[in-house]
Amino acid sequence: MGLEQLIQECQRDNIKAQEQLYRLFAPKLFSVCLKYSRSYADAQDNLQDGFLLLFRKIGQFQFKGSFEGWAKRLMVNNVLQKYRSQGVVELVSENIPDEPDVEIETEEVSMDFLLGIIQQLPDRYRMVFNLYVTDGFSHKEIAEMLNITTGTSKSNLARARMILKEKIEAHQGNLKSTYSK
C-alpha cells in the first residue's frame, strides 16, 4: 500500500492503517519530539499525544506538500502548545546579551553530548533554540508560535547559546585536563 492510500485509509479511521502509519513515521517524529521535550519520557508522551492529534486531524491533510512535513509541524505545534499552557515560554526581560562565539573542537565533543546539553536547557530556551537553529524559523515566526515578542525570542536564543557555550567550554576544559594528566 502506498503512502497516499495509507493516509486515505487513516482518514477513514482504519485502525490497521493507523498502526502502519505509526510504525512508518514514529521514529522520525520521535526525534522531533525529543528535540523539544525535557526528557526521553516526556518525548515519548509527546509522541503519543501527537499521534492522537495527528489521527484526529488527518482529514485536514490535503495531499499538498509532504505528509512528513505536515506531521512534523503538527508534532512541534503540539509540544509547543503543551508548554505554552504550562507557562514555560514566558520571559520578562528582553535584554539581549551579545551573541557568544562558540568554538567547538568536533573531535572532542560528540553529537550525543551536544544533544544532551541542548535537552538540558530550560524549556523556553530549548524551544527557541531548536526552532531557530535546527528548524530554521525566524524570530517573528517563533514569536507567533510561542505567543511571545520577537525580542523575547532573540533574548531566549542568546541566553541558550550562552548556556551551551559555557557547558561546551567546561566539557572541553575537562577533556584537556584529562588528556594532560
Side-chain angles (χ1 to χ4, degrees), residues 6-62:
L6 186 61
I7 293 167
Q8 289 170 343
E9 287 299 313
C10 288
Q11 289 174 335
R12 293 184 194 103
D13 294 325
N14 179 324
I15 293 172
K16 295 276 188 202
Q18 289 175 344
E19 180 182 346
Q20 192 174 350
L21 191 76
Y22 178 88
R23 291 182 190 277
L24 185 62
F25 285 97
K28 292 176 186 175
L29 296 177
F30 180 71
S31 67
V32 171
C33 292
L34 195 56
K35 282 193 320 190
Y36 291 95
S37 301
R38 293 181 184 128
S39 66
Y40 193 88
D42 277 351
Q44 290 174 316
D45 291 344
N46 289 330
L47 178 70
Q48 297 307 315
D49 294 343
F51 262 102
L52 291 173
L53 180 64
L54 184 145
F55 290 132
R56 277 196 313 271
K57 293 190 173 235
I58 199 163
Q60 296 174 8
F61 181 68
Q62 305 278 321

Side-chain angles (χ1 to χ4, degrees), residues 104-166:
I104 300 173
E105 297 177 29
T106 54
E107 55 279 346
E108 292 182 10
V109 179
S110 71
M111 185 57 74
D112 286 340
F113 174 77
L114 289 174
L115 293 174
I117 63 172
I118 290 169
Q119 198 171 34
Q120 292 171 10
L121 288 169
D123 294 329
R124 61 187 176 261
Y125 300 160
R126 184 184 63 253
M127 286 185 277
V128 171
F129 181 85
N130 281 318
L131 287 167
Y132 188 84
V133 174
T134 63
D135 292 331
F137 289 100
S138 70
H139 285 295
K140 182 180 178 191
E141 292 169 317
I142 295 167
E144 291 170 4
M145 292 169 83
L146 298 179
N147 197 26
I148 59 176
T149 67
T150 302
T152 298
S153 177
K154 289 177 182 179
S155 176
N156 285 348
L157 177 63
R159 292 171 196 270
R161 285 181 168 160
M162 186 64 68
I163 292 168
L164 295 174
K165 177 182 186 249
E166 290 169 1

Side-chain angles (χ1 to χ4, degrees), residues 54-85:
L54 184 145
F55 290 132
R56 277 196 313 271
K57 293 190 173 235
I58 199 163
Q60 296 174 8
F61 181 68
Q62 305 278 321
F63 298 94
K64 296 176 184 168
S66 83
F67 177 77
E68 184 177 333
W70 179 83
K72 282 181 179 179
R73 181 76 176 222
L74 191 118
M75 288 289 169
V76 169
N77 286 335
N78 184 58
V79 174
L80 296 180
Q81 179 58 41
K82 175 182 175 182
Y83 290 126
R84 262 195 310 268
S85 69

